[in-house]
mmCIF file with all atom_site columns, all heavy atoms in Angstrom:
data_model
loop_
_atom_site.group_PDB
_atom_site.id
_atom_site.type_symbol
_atom_site.label_atom_id
_atom_site.label_alt_id
_atom_site.label_comp_id
_atom_site.label_asym_id
_atom_site.label_entity_id
_atom_site.label_seq_id
_atom_site.pdbx_PDB_ins_code
_atom_site.Cartn_x
_atom_site.Cartn_y
_atom_site.Cartn_z
_atom_site.occupancy
_atom_site.B_iso_or_equiv
_atom_site.pdbx_formal_charge
_atom_site.auth_seq_id
_atom_site.auth_comp_id
_atom_site.auth_asym_id
_atom_site.auth_atom_id
_atom_site.pdbx_PDB_model_num
ATOM 1   N N   . ARG A 1 11 ? -5.323  9.300  9.414  1.00 53.00 ? 38 ARG A N   1
ATOM 2   C CA  . ARG A 1 11 ? -5.976  10.579 9.727  1.00 53.00 ? 38 ARG A CA  1
ATOM 3   C C   . ARG A 1 11 ? -7.472  10.377 9.953  1.00 53.00 ? 38 ARG A C   1
ATOM 4   O O   . ARG A 1 11 ? -8.072  11.006 10.821 1.00 53.00 ? 38 ARG A O   1
ATOM 5   C CB  . ARG A 1 11 ? -5.734  11.592 8.598  1.00 53.00 ? 38 ARG A CB  1
ATOM 6   C CG  . ARG A 1 11 ? -4.329  12.170 8.590  1.00 53.00 ? 38 ARG A CG  1
ATOM 7   C CD  . ARG A 1 11 ? -4.263  13.450 7.768  1.00 53.00 ? 38 ARG A CD  1
ATOM 8   N NE  . ARG A 1 11 ? -4.523  13.214 6.375  1.00 53.00 ? 38 ARG A NE  1
ATOM 9   C CZ  . ARG A 1 11 ? -3.584  12.877 5.492  1.00 53.00 ? 38 ARG A CZ  1
ATOM 10  N NH1 . ARG A 1 11 ? -2.339  12.711 5.895  1.00 53.00 ? 38 ARG A NH1 1
ATOM 11  N NH2 . ARG A 1 11 ? -3.894  12.704 4.214  1.00 53.00 ? 38 ARG A NH2 1
ATOM 12  N N   . TYR A 1 12 ? -8.072  9.482  9.179  1.00 51.00 ? 39 TYR A N   1
ATOM 13  C CA  . TYR A 1 12 ? -9.482  9.174  9.400  1.00 51.00 ? 39 TYR A CA  1
ATOM 14  C C   . TYR A 1 12 ? -9.699  8.620  10.802 1.00 51.00 ? 39 TYR A C   1
ATOM 15  O O   . TYR A 1 12 ? -10.625 9.014  11.514 1.00 51.00 ? 39 TYR A O   1
ATOM 16  C CB  . TYR A 1 12 ? -9.966  8.136  8.381  1.00 51.00 ? 39 TYR A CB  1
ATOM 17  C CG  . TYR A 1 12 ? -9.997  8.620  6.962  1.00 51.00 ? 39 TYR A CG  1
ATOM 18  C CD1 . TYR A 1 12 ? -9.903  7.712  5.914  1.00 51.00 ? 39 TYR A CD1 1
ATOM 19  C CD2 . TYR A 1 12 ? -10.128 9.972  6.657  1.00 51.00 ? 39 TYR A CD2 1
ATOM 20  C CE1 . TYR A 1 12 ? -9.938  8.140  4.597  1.00 51.00 ? 39 TYR A CE1 1
ATOM 21  C CE2 . TYR A 1 12 ? -10.161 10.412 5.345  1.00 51.00 ? 39 TYR A CE2 1
ATOM 22  C CZ  . TYR A 1 12 ? -10.065 9.486  4.316  1.00 51.00 ? 39 TYR A CZ  1
ATOM 23  O OH  . TYR A 1 12 ? -10.102 9.895  3.030  1.00 51.00 ? 39 TYR A OH  1
ATOM 24  N N   . ILE A 1 13 ? -8.812  7.741  11.219 1.00 49.00 ? 40 ILE A N   1
ATOM 25  C CA  . ILE A 1 13 ? -8.926  7.149  12.560 1.00 49.00 ? 40 ILE A CA  1
ATOM 26  C C   . ILE A 1 13 ? -8.790  8.243  13.624 1.00 49.00 ? 40 ILE A C   1
ATOM 27  O O   . ILE A 1 13 ? -9.540  8.289  14.603 1.00 49.00 ? 40 ILE A O   1
ATOM 28  C CB  . ILE A 1 13 ? -7.846  6.067  12.762 1.00 49.00 ? 40 ILE A CB  1
ATOM 29  C CG1 . ILE A 1 13 ? -8.063  4.893  11.784 1.00 49.00 ? 40 ILE A CG1 1
ATOM 30  C CG2 . ILE A 1 13 ? -7.850  5.558  14.195 1.00 49.00 ? 40 ILE A CG2 1
ATOM 31  C CD1 . ILE A 1 13 ? -9.350  4.141  12.008 1.00 49.00 ? 40 ILE A CD1 1
ATOM 32  N N   . ALA A 1 14 ? -7.838  9.148  13.412 1.00 48.00 ? 41 ALA A N   1
ATOM 33  C CA  . ALA A 1 14 ? -7.638  10.235 14.377 1.00 48.00 ? 41 ALA A CA  1
ATOM 34  C C   . ALA A 1 14 ? -8.868  11.127 14.470 1.00 48.00 ? 41 ALA A C   1
ATOM 35  O O   . ALA A 1 14 ? -9.265  11.568 15.561 1.00 48.00 ? 41 ALA A O   1
ATOM 36  C CB  . ALA A 1 14 ? -6.412  11.061 13.981 1.00 48.00 ? 41 ALA A CB  1
ATOM 37  N N   . LEU A 1 15 ? -9.504  11.381 13.343 1.00 49.00 ? 42 LEU A N   1
ATOM 38  C CA  . LEU A 1 15 ? -10.718 12.198 13.343 1.00 49.00 ? 42 LEU A CA  1
ATOM 39  C C   . LEU A 1 15 ? -11.841 11.519 14.107 1.00 49.00 ? 42 LEU A C   1
ATOM 40  O O   . LEU A 1 15 ? -12.600 12.155 14.834 1.00 49.00 ? 42 LEU A O   1
ATOM 41  C CB  . LEU A 1 15 ? -11.161 12.486 11.902 1.00 49.00 ? 42 LEU A CB  1
ATOM 42  C CG  . LEU A 1 15 ? -10.382 13.591 11.164 1.00 49.00 ? 42 LEU A CG  1
ATOM 43  C CD1 . LEU A 1 15 ? -10.689 13.542 9.684  1.00 49.00 ? 42 LEU A CD1 1
ATOM 44  C CD2 . LEU A 1 15 ? -10.727 14.953 11.757 1.00 49.00 ? 42 LEU A CD2 1
ATOM 45  N N   . ILE A 1 16 ? -11.914 10.213 13.936 1.00 46.00 ? 43 ILE A N   1
ATOM 46  C CA  . ILE A 1 16 ? -12.953 9.476  14.663 1.00 46.00 ? 43 ILE A CA  1
ATOM 47  C C   . ILE A 1 16 ? -12.716 9.584  16.157 1.00 46.00 ? 43 ILE A C   1
ATOM 48  O O   . ILE A 1 16 ? -13.628 9.751  16.957 1.00 46.00 ? 43 ILE A O   1
ATOM 49  C CB  . ILE A 1 16 ? -12.972 8.004  14.208 1.00 46.00 ? 43 ILE A CB  1
ATOM 50  C CG1 . ILE A 1 16 ? -13.519 7.939  12.780 1.00 46.00 ? 43 ILE A CG1 1
ATOM 51  C CG2 . ILE A 1 16 ? -13.815 7.147  15.136 1.00 46.00 ? 43 ILE A CG2 1
ATOM 52  C CD1 . ILE A 1 16 ? -13.309 6.599  12.126 1.00 46.00 ? 43 ILE A CD1 1
ATOM 53  N N   . ASP A 1 17 ? -11.421 9.494  16.553 1.00 43.00 ? 44 ASP A N   1
ATOM 54  C CA  . ASP A 1 17 ? -11.100 9.603  17.974 1.00 43.00 ? 44 ASP A CA  1
ATOM 55  C C   . ASP A 1 17 ? -11.481 10.978 18.521 1.00 43.00 ? 44 ASP A C   1
ATOM 56  O O   . ASP A 1 17 ? -11.971 11.111 19.639 1.00 43.00 ? 44 ASP A O   1
ATOM 57  C CB  . ASP A 1 17 ? -9.594  9.370  18.185 1.00 43.00 ? 44 ASP A CB  1
ATOM 58  C CG  . ASP A 1 17 ? -9.239  7.901  18.041 1.00 43.00 ? 44 ASP A CG  1
ATOM 59  O OD1 . ASP A 1 17 ? -10.168 7.065  18.104 1.00 43.00 ? 44 ASP A OD1 1
ATOM 60  O OD2 . ASP A 1 17 ? -8.039  7.594  17.865 1.00 43.00 ? 44 ASP A OD2 1
ATOM 61  N N   . SER A 1 18 ? -11.272 12.034 17.723 1.00 45.00 ? 45 SER A N   1
ATOM 62  C CA  . SER A 1 18 ? -11.484 13.387 18.243 1.00 45.00 ? 45 SER A CA  1
ATOM 63  C C   . SER A 1 18 ? -12.930 13.861 18.097 1.00 45.00 ? 45 SER A C   1
ATOM 64  O O   . SER A 1 18 ? -13.444 14.579 18.929 1.00 45.00 ? 45 SER A O   1
ATOM 65  C CB  . SER A 1 18 ? -10.553 14.361 17.518 1.00 45.00 ? 45 SER A CB  1
ATOM 66  O OG  . SER A 1 18 ? -10.856 14.356 16.127 1.00 45.00 ? 45 SER A OG  1
ATOM 67  N N   . ASP A 1 19 ? -13.586 13.466 17.029 1.00 43.00 ? 46 ASP A N   1
ATOM 68  C CA  . ASP A 1 19 ? -14.947 13.925 16.773 1.00 43.00 ? 46 ASP A CA  1
ATOM 69  C C   . ASP A 1 19 ? -15.679 12.820 16.038 1.00 43.00 ? 46 ASP A C   1
ATOM 70  O O   . ASP A 1 19 ? -15.555 12.684 14.823 1.00 43.00 ? 46 ASP A O   1
ATOM 71  C CB  . ASP A 1 19 ? -14.921 15.213 15.947 1.00 43.00 ? 46 ASP A CB  1
ATOM 72  C CG  . ASP A 1 19 ? -16.326 15.808 15.769 1.00 43.00 ? 46 ASP A CG  1
ATOM 73  O OD1 . ASP A 1 19 ? -17.304 15.041 15.827 1.00 43.00 ? 46 ASP A OD1 1
ATOM 74  O OD2 . ASP A 1 19 ? -16.410 17.037 15.566 1.00 43.00 ? 46 ASP A OD2 1
ATOM 75  N N   . GLU A 1 20 ? -16.434 12.036 16.785 1.00 42.00 ? 47 GLU A N   1
ATOM 76  C CA  . GLU A 1 20 ? -17.048 10.831 16.229 1.00 42.00 ? 47 GLU A CA  1
ATOM 77  C C   . GLU A 1 20 ? -17.923 11.124 15.018 1.00 42.00 ? 47 GLU A C   1
ATOM 78  O O   . GLU A 1 20 ? -17.801 10.503 13.972 1.00 42.00 ? 47 GLU A O   1
ATOM 79  C CB  . GLU A 1 20 ? -17.874 10.131 17.310 1.00 42.00 ? 47 GLU A CB  1
ATOM 80  C CG  . GLU A 1 20 ? -18.503 8.840  16.835 1.00 42.00 ? 47 GLU A CG  1
ATOM 81  C CD  . GLU A 1 20 ? -19.252 8.160  17.960 1.00 42.00 ? 47 GLU A CD  1
ATOM 82  O OE1 . GLU A 1 20 ? -18.670 7.984  19.040 1.00 42.00 ? 47 GLU A OE1 1
ATOM 83  O OE2 . GLU A 1 20 ? -20.414 7.799  17.745 1.00 42.00 ? 47 GLU A OE2 1
ATOM 84  N N   . SER A 1 21 ? -18.799 12.137 15.109 1.00 40.00 ? 48 SER A N   1
ATOM 85  C CA  . SER A 1 21 ? -19.739 12.379 14.022 1.00 40.00 ? 48 SER A CA  1
ATOM 86  C C   . SER A 1 21 ? -19.016 12.862 12.763 1.00 40.00 ? 48 SER A C   1
ATOM 87  O O   . SER A 1 21 ? -19.287 12.403 11.658 1.00 40.00 ? 48 SER A O   1
ATOM 88  C CB  . SER A 1 21 ? -20.777 13.418 14.455 1.00 40.00 ? 48 SER A CB  1
ATOM 89  O OG  . SER A 1 21 ? -20.130 14.632 14.807 1.00 40.00 ? 48 SER A OG  1
ATOM 90  N N   . THR A 1 22 ? -18.054 13.790 12.955 1.00 41.00 ? 49 THR A N   1
ATOM 91  C CA  . THR A 1 22 ? -17.301 14.278 11.799 1.00 41.00 ? 49 THR A CA  1
ATOM 92  C C   . THR A 1 22 ? -16.491 13.162 11.174 1.00 41.00 ? 49 THR A C   1
ATOM 93  O O   . THR A 1 22 ? -16.453 12.996 9.957  1.00 41.00 ? 49 THR A O   1
ATOM 94  C CB  . THR A 1 22 ? -16.360 15.420 12.222 1.00 41.00 ? 49 THR A CB  1
ATOM 95  O OG1 . THR A 1 22 ? -17.120 16.434 12.860 1.00 41.00 ? 49 THR A OG1 1
ATOM 96  C CG2 . THR A 1 22 ? -15.615 15.991 11.017 1.00 41.00 ? 49 THR A CG2 1
ATOM 97  N N   . GLY A 1 23 ? -15.827 12.382 12.048 1.00 42.00 ? 50 GLY A N   1
ATOM 98  C CA  . GLY A 1 23 ? -14.995 11.287 11.561 1.00 42.00 ? 50 GLY A CA  1
ATOM 99  C C   . GLY A 1 23 ? -15.785 10.296 10.751 1.00 42.00 ? 50 GLY A C   1
ATOM 100 O O   . GLY A 1 23 ? -15.377 9.873  9.662  1.00 42.00 ? 50 GLY A O   1
ATOM 101 N N   . LEU A 1 24 ? -16.980 9.926  11.258 1.00 42.00 ? 51 LEU A N   1
ATOM 102 C CA  . LEU A 1 24 ? -17.798 8.952  10.542 1.00 42.00 ? 51 LEU A CA  1
ATOM 103 C C   . LEU A 1 24 ? -18.286 9.516  9.220  1.00 42.00 ? 51 LEU A C   1
ATOM 104 O O   . LEU A 1 24 ? -18.360 8.808  8.219  1.00 42.00 ? 51 LEU A O   1
ATOM 105 C CB  . LEU A 1 24 ? -18.980 8.523  11.414 1.00 42.00 ? 51 LEU A CB  1
ATOM 106 C CG  . LEU A 1 24 ? -18.594 7.632  12.601 1.00 42.00 ? 51 LEU A CG  1
ATOM 107 C CD1 . LEU A 1 24 ? -19.806 7.405  13.485 1.00 42.00 ? 51 LEU A CD1 1
ATOM 108 C CD2 . LEU A 1 24 ? -18.048 6.308  12.125 1.00 42.00 ? 51 LEU A CD2 1
ATOM 109 N N   . TYR A 1 25 ? -18.585 10.800 9.225  1.00 40.00 ? 52 TYR A N   1
ATOM 110 C CA  . TYR A 1 25 ? -19.038 11.419 7.983  1.00 40.00 ? 52 TYR A CA  1
ATOM 111 C C   . TYR A 1 25 ? -17.939 11.325 6.914  1.00 40.00 ? 52 TYR A C   1
ATOM 112 O O   . TYR A 1 25 ? -18.190 11.001 5.763  1.00 40.00 ? 52 TYR A O   1
ATOM 113 C CB  . TYR A 1 25 ? -19.413 12.885 8.221  1.00 40.00 ? 52 TYR A CB  1
ATOM 114 C CG  . TYR A 1 25 ? -19.691 13.618 6.931  1.00 40.00 ? 52 TYR A CG  1
ATOM 115 C CD1 . TYR A 1 25 ? -20.900 13.417 6.242  1.00 40.00 ? 52 TYR A CD1 1
ATOM 116 C CD2 . TYR A 1 25 ? -18.736 14.481 6.383  1.00 40.00 ? 52 TYR A CD2 1
ATOM 117 C CE1 . TYR A 1 25 ? -21.144 14.065 5.050  1.00 40.00 ? 52 TYR A CE1 1
ATOM 118 C CE2 . TYR A 1 25 ? -18.980 15.134 5.187  1.00 40.00 ? 52 TYR A CE2 1
ATOM 119 C CZ  . TYR A 1 25 ? -20.192 14.928 4.522  1.00 40.00 ? 52 TYR A CZ  1
ATOM 120 O OH  . TYR A 1 25 ? -20.427 15.561 3.337  1.00 40.00 ? 52 TYR A OH  1
#
Side-chain angles (χ1 to χ4, degrees):
R38 285 198 295 273
Y39 293 155
I40 296 296
L42 282 167
I43 290 168
D44 286 343
S45 61
D46 186 334
E47 182 177 309
S48 59
T49 305
L51 289 173
Y52 172 76

